[in-house]
Amino acid sequence: MTTRYLMRLGKTPFDVVDAFHTLDQNLLGTNSGNLVYGASSHKLFSTRDTVVDANYYRINAKMADVVNDEYDGFILPLANAFRPQFEGQLLRTAEFLERLKIPFLMLSGGAQLPLDGDPSALKAMEPTVKRFARAVLNGSSALSVRGEMTADYLRSLGFHDVVVVGCPSLALYGPGHRVDVPETLAPGSQIAYNLETKDPFGEDLIDDAERHYRSTYIPQEHGTLELMLWATDPYPGGDPRLPLERDHPQFTSARAEMFLDAYPWIERMSQMSFSFGARAHGNIAGVLGGTPSVMLAHDSRTLELAQHHAIPYVIRDGEHDPRTVEELYAHADFTEFNRGHAERFEVLSSFIHDNGFEHIYDPGQESAREEYEQKVAGTTFPPAVRPTWLDETPETTHRHAVLQERDAARKKAQGAIRRDATKRQQQTQGQISELTQRLDDAERRAEAAENRARKAEARMAKIEKRLATISRLTEEATDRSQRAVRIPTRLQKIVSRSTRDR
């Protein structure tokens, strides 16, 4: 009998979609890093006679009944879920989990915090986080998280059933994966780098990579995909050394590559000699490809993942940041990663087993692994996205960019309208609920008053009945009393008559 699981994914690893539809439908969840942990999660639970479907990021309480009827379990892979921008999704997920009756587990979530772990920015969303955590613990053995900083955050909210499992992406190739690091990185080597576009930094490193190595920028974000497809300008005014605008050499020479699927991305990273950057999964893709990678840790997301999995990292502080790729490569020590990978995998494996699930690296699942890997090998994935507008005239490129920006503005406005409508609907529903509650309370009070009135009427009837009885008895007593008064008079008359008769 086939087991069916539903998993929170933008798409399964076998959903092949072109770049334009990927952008339009936001199948990346705004960041292609989601593809990597999604692919690993999908593989982990694709055991014998098991089908794993994607929910395409659609989730709400109304779906629960259908999911309960059609699936045998629900898997919830998460990334940095505890952040203000994700609160609405987190609340809808909590409402869904509260109505779920089938087995489920949360597969690693993270808090988005600064490097010092200060959670003050999440204060306003604490009620939502608590509701979500309670919903998870109602059906799972523990809250599984990406690192110790997230674990400390949840414990500070009163939740102590927390287990640190890291990111499931590192489980893609099982407990035996390792990274071997050559002693030196030769000038001119093929290297990859990634960038945090919302908070770009690493200008010196990227400048050195462009000057002295065959470098490839591997973007991950929705905005850069739009730039490469439509020549828009999502990051104006940045440092010209960074690949943020379309006149950067990475775009004008078509060297930048963005991937729409995890497996070709990892395969491409395996051809690199080195990878670095501030994107966690950009570097994890390199690690999975066996490529030495160094993470530029700039917040809790990157730091706790690097620390848990022993991925080499440097902390961004502006003063002691490495300035050259050669200097950064000196940090690429994977000794601890290789030594502890199997042990860390076992922590994740035990958590999965504790919740009644199996995974594809369990004993006896060899045929499932072979079948899955054959399916990956037999899938024709689209090539990496490169700029599509290089052969166009400037006028055509500009027209496409303007049209895309207009469409993006329209979608943004529509999204704002939907959010406002949803907010108003929620407010209206809240008001209706409040009025319904007040009406119910008034009806209960009226019913109670009516009950009291009926009881009072019953008591009054009893009192009136008693009064009638008392009145009757009083009249009878009065009558008897009057008769008693008349007795002596009759006796006197009888005596008088008797005397006369004598």
Side-chain angles (χ1 to χ4, degrees):
M1 188 174 85
T2 300
T3 300
R4 296 188 66 202
Y5 294 148
L6 184 66
M7 182 175 287
R8 181 188 176 273
L9 296 172
K11 65 174 188 172
T12 75
F14 306 110
D15 290 327
V16 177
V17 184
D18 67 80
F20 292 96
H21 284 91
T22 295
L23 177 67
D24 189 57
Q25 299 171 28
N26 191 23
L27 297 180
L28 304 180
T30 74
N31 179 1
S32 62
N34 296 322
L35 298 171
V36 181
Y37 75 79
S40 180
S41 302
H42 189 272
K43 181 180 180 181
L44 269 177
F45 289 89
S46 295
T47 52
R48 286 196 317 270
D49 301 320
T50 299
V51 174
V52 181
D53 293 333
N55 74 336
Y56 302 102
Y57 293 144
R58 293 191 295 269
I59 194 164
N60 57 65
K62 296 179 182 178
M63 295 172 54
D65 291 340
V66 174
V67 175
N68 285 328
D69 290 340
E70 296 184 2
Y71 289 93
D72 302 294
F74 178 69
I75 317 296
L76 183 65
L78 291 173
N80 53 324
F82 306 130
R83 55 188 167 96
Q85 300 89 334
F86 197 71
E87 184 177 7
Q89 180 78 244
L90 200 66
L91 179 58
R92 290 192 295 274
T93 304
E95 293 169 344
F96 170 78
L97 294 178
E98 288 167 352
R99 296 178 60 176
L100 213 56
K101 298 177 182 178
I102 57 176
F104 67 86
L105 60 79
M106 166 190 165
L107 193 63
S108 182
Q112 186 166 316
L113 307 170
L115 280 171
D116 62 5
D118 179 11
S120 57
L122 306 185
K123 187 68 177 177
M125 66 177 295
E126 279 185 9
T128 300
V129 175
K130 290 178 179 180
R131 181 173 178 178
F132 171 79
R134 286 192 294 266
V136 171
L137 291 174
N138 189 49
S140 300
S141 65
L143 294 158
S144 67
V145 297
R146 297 171 75 177
E148 289 295 341
M149 297 178 83
T150 300
D152 289 343
Y153 167 65
L154 290 174
R155 291 179 188 125
S156 74
L157 300 182
F159 299 99
H160 299 284
D161 292 326
V162 181
V163 57
V164 178
V165 300
C167 182
S169 55
L170 272 301
L172 181 63
Y173 296 125
H177 185 66
R178 59 179 290 114
V179 177
D180 296 318
V181 184
E183 290 186 7
T184 59
L185 179 67
S189 296
Q190 193 171 17
I191 67 172
Y193 67 84
N194 53 76
L195 184 67
E196 169 58 80
T197 59
K198 296 181 181 66
D199 182 22
F201 62 95
E203 297 89 339
D204 292 336
L205 286 170
I206 290 174
D207 186 53
D208 186 60
E210 294 287 348
R211 290 175 181 274
H212 301 110
Y213 299 88
R214 288 182 294 143
S215 60
T216 301
Y217 173 45
I218 310 290
Q220 295 180 214
E221 294 181 35
H222 195 274
T224 309
L225 178 59
E226 185 181 84
L227 182 157
M228 297 173 79
L229 294 179
W230 295 107
T232 53
D233 191 20
Y235 317 113
D239 190 309
R241 292 176 293 174
L242 301 176
L244 294 172
E245 299 186 10
R246 63 175 181 260
D247 60 356
H248 191 277
Q250 282 288 335
F251 301 123
T252 58
S253 62
R255 286 187 286 135
E257 303 176 30
M258 185 165 182
F259 292 89
L260 308 178
D261 302 277
Y263 288 103
W265 183 4
I266 294 167
E267 173 62 26
R268 179 67 172 122
M269 294 302 295
S270 72
Q271 301 166 7
M272 302 292 178
S273 298
F274 182 50
S275 170
F276 70 89
R279 305 299 317 195
H281 287 94
N283 296 299
I284 287 174
V287 172
L288 292 171
T291 297
S293 304
V294 175
M295 204 173 292
L296 306 182
H298 62 102
D299 61 8
S300 67
R301 298 175 299 160
T302 47
L303 180 59
E304 68 177 358
L305 269 182
Q307 289 177 334
H308 177 78
H309 290 287
I311 297 172
Y313 68 93
V314 295
I315 294 178
R316 173 195 181 189
D317 65 7
E319 182 178 352
H320 303 95
D321 296 344
R323 297 290 191 268
T324 67
V325 173
E326 182 180 13
E327 183 182 353
L328 186 65
Y329 187 79
H331 292 271
D333 183 356
F334 275 79
T335 303
E336 181 57 29
F337 174 89
N338 294 332
R339 185 203 65 77
H341 180 65
E343 181 180 341
R344 289 185 290 271
F345 182 92
E346 182 55 34
V347 173
L348 175 61
S349 174
S350 297
F351 171 72
I352 292 172
H353 293 156
D354 287 346
N355 286 277
F357 291 88
E358 296 180 328
H359 61 76
I360 203 167
Y361 288 99
D362 280 333
Q365 296 289 346
E366 292 79 9
S367 62
R369 289 200 301 275
E370 182 178 357
E371 180 181 346
Y372 196 92
E373 288 156 8
Q374 287 176 351
K375 188 174 181 180
V376 172
T379 301
T380 302
F381 295 104
V385 178
R386 298 176 187 271
T388 62
W389 34 263
L390 291 177
D391 296 328
E392 296 177 346
T393 64
E395 292 79 11
T396 301
T397 299
H398 180 67
R399 182 168 64 250
H400 287 168
V402 169
L403 290 174
Q404 178 62 19
E405 286 169 353
R406 287 179 179 177
D407 187 57
R410 176 186 60 81
K411 290 179 179 177
K412 184 177 180 180
Q414 288 177 337
I417 291 171
R418 284 194 300 270
R419 287 191 296 274
D420 184 62
T422 299
K423 184 178 180 180
R424 289 175 181 272
Q425 183 181 18
Q426 291 172 343
Q427 290 174 341
T428 302
Q429 188 61 47
Q431 291 171 346
I432 291 172
S433 298
E434 182 181 354
L435 290 172
T436 301
Q437 183 64 45
R438 290 168 63 183
L439 179 60
D440 290 343
D441 291 343
E443 289 177 346
R444 283 194 293 270
R445 289 195 297 270
E447 184 178 355
E450 188 175 344
N451 288 335
R452 288 195 298 270
R454 282 197 297 268
K455 291 178 180 178
E457 289 173 355
R459 286 197 300 271
M460 182 65 69
K462 289 181 179 179
I463 292 171
E464 289 177 349
K465 186 176 180 180
R466 291 177 62 189
L467 285 173
T469 301
I470 292 171
S471 178
R472 178 176 55 80
L473 294 174
T474 301
E475 290 176 358
E476 291 175 356
T478 301
D479 186 60
R480 287 195 302 271
S481 175
Q482 291 175 346
R483 287 199 303 271
V485 169
R486 290 195 294 271
I487 288 172
T489 303
R490 289 198 299 270
L491 288 175
Q492 184 179 7
K493 289 179 178 180
I494 293 170
V495 171
S496 297
R497 194 182 307 121
S498 176
T499 305
R500 282 194 308 267
D501 291 342
R502 262 192 261 150

